[in-house]
Amino acid sequence: LIEAIAQGAALLLAPDGGGEEKRLALAAIEDAEVVRAPEPGETVEVAVSLEARWGALVRVRGRLTLDGAPLGGAIVVLAEI
């Protein structure tokens, strides 16, 4: 689930209209909660929002749902490298 949030953050931070893509490294995980793990074949919805930016560090909040029911979420700090 953390990987899904990190990949969603990469899409959120991707440059619009081209340009060089940013490489991100996982720096920290805060307040992670897993309600349940998804089963094979289930389609998980990932919502990611930017919370803060400190230089090369980016803090995002991610929530995962399945048919509107929560699967989990976390606050993830990524470093642009």
Side-chain angles (χ1 to χ4, degrees):
L1 299 177
I2 298 299
E3 177 66 23
I5 294 170
Q7 287 186 22
L11 291 173
L12 178 69
L13 298 170
D16 291 332
E20 186 175 330
E21 290 185 17
K22 297 178 181 176
R23 294 184 60 196
L24 302 170
L26 184 62
I29 300 169
E30 303 174 8
D31 298 324
E33 176 185 14
V34 177
V35 176
R36 77 166 184 87
E39 298 291 327
E42 292 181 328
T43 302
V44 176
E45 297 174 11
V46 180
V48 179
S49 60
L50 180 64
E51 295 240 315
R53 181 184 290 268
W54 310 281
L57 295 177
V58 179
R59 184 177 192 234
V60 296
R61 178 180 301 273
R63 295 179 202 266
L64 294 98
T65 59
L66 175 67
D67 296 328
L71 290 180
I75 296 172
V76 175
V77 178
L78 302 164
E80 296 177 349
I81 55 173

